[in-house]
Amino acid sequence: VGDYEFFNKPFGLLHWMEHGDHMGVDPDTNQVFRHDTIIILLDPDQMLMRPITGTFQSSNTIFRGGPKDMGYNIDTERTYKENESSFIVRHGRPLSQEFGFGDSWLKFAEVAGKDSPATKVTPTEARRSYSVDPPYIATALDMHAIAQKWVEFVPLVHSLFPELMAEMYAFSIASAHLELPHQLVGSLMISDTNTDSGEGWKLIDDLPANNICNFAMNKMGDDSHTKLPSLLHFCQRYGVGDRAFFAKKKLPTDFFSCESPLIEEPSMDIGSGKYLYRKPPFLDTTVTYSATIEKREAFVICSMTGFLNQAALFFKRKHCGGSKINVKQEISMHDLPE
């Protein structure tokens, strides 16, 4: 198949659905036994902040859609196909977070065959129903059908487009080939702090700025009432001021060990509007911010510091036995080598 590391998403999903605990396929029908179960596929660099279910209400969810004669998506309180204020994931109607590649996957749709329904999708419909990113949410019946085609199509897409997102394009093609349009949502995930539509940053922007770091690092797990996106996709580099910084690839590989220290906490006033800049590590430059961007960057840094330190403490208490547990907050993400 090849050594593209993200082949593990389609192949891993299919293997788990067919061979995982409590899963499996009926040999007579080639359908999964638990076909009504809701399957949610995340990326490994996505952190849960709120539960995800198969039911979505406009009071907590930003649907993406708009008038059918418009070629782009807008925030809306109504679903695209049914024009309803709620959406339930069911057979034939999956739901996913919107992603910004639009209709660019269409150029590879013929991997599904020249007569495939995927080749007949219009650019508008490609953006409205198939421009998707994890979390992918579908019934097990639909997700298994998608996974089978995803595994078939992804090597073909990668041979034509040997770059990042090949597996995402293949997922869109598989869904379109099976005529399984997704309801797109713009509030399930946050990632790029410079994005104003298609991600759930409005929910973060509405939080008080003067307490954003303390809330993200220490209070978020105990507060089930504040509206937040379900996921933090920490795939960017984030920084505030001179030293507050987070980048996933800089985390030491032995972080989850008895001996490793924890991450040092940032100043609690980042995100308050006091630091309208960042100084990236090892670069003699300064990036200026608006107060909104500073607040968003601070939310991610403080969230990830809290998440990782809590996870590390859980690991140490469960697995370190009588050995001395290192709980010193000494890891400076800013100073770690690239």
Side-chain angles (χ1 to χ4, degrees), residues 57-61 85 227:
Q57 302 284 344
S58 61
S59 57
N60 297 304
T61 302
S85 60
K227 293 181 181 179

Side-chain angles (χ1 to χ4, degrees), residues 123-170:
T124 295
E125 196 61 26
R127 290 187 284 265
R128 287 295 173 79
S129 300
Y130 300 106
S131 179
V132 294
D133 182 46
Y136 303 137
I137 309 173
T139 64
L141 181 70
D142 288 344
M143 193 67 88
H144 182 245
I146 292 172
Q148 288 178 306
K149 289 300 177 182
W150 196 10
V151 163
E152 178 184 342
F153 297 157
V154 69
L156 303 175
V157 174
H158 187 257
S159 68
L160 300 171
F161 184 72
E163 299 180 32
L164 191 65
M165 294 203 305
E167 85 288 353
M168 296 172 67
Y169 287 166

Side-chain angles (χ1 to χ4, degrees), residues 2 6 9 22 29 41 48 80 127 145 176 229 234 273 278 304 326 331:
F6 300 115
K9 290 165 68 174
H22 310 296
T29 64
L41 178 63
L48 275 169
Y80 173 50
R127 290 187 284 265
F234 51 97
R278 77 169 176 185
M304 292 310 302
N326 188 349
I331 296 177

Side-chain angles (χ1 to χ4, degrees), residues 14 17-18 25 30-32 140-148:
L14 183 62
M17 294 196 74
E18 295 184 345
V25 175
N30 195 35
Q31 293 182 353
V32 287
L141 181 70
D142 288 344
M143 193 67 88
H144 182 245
I146 292 172
Q148 288 178 306

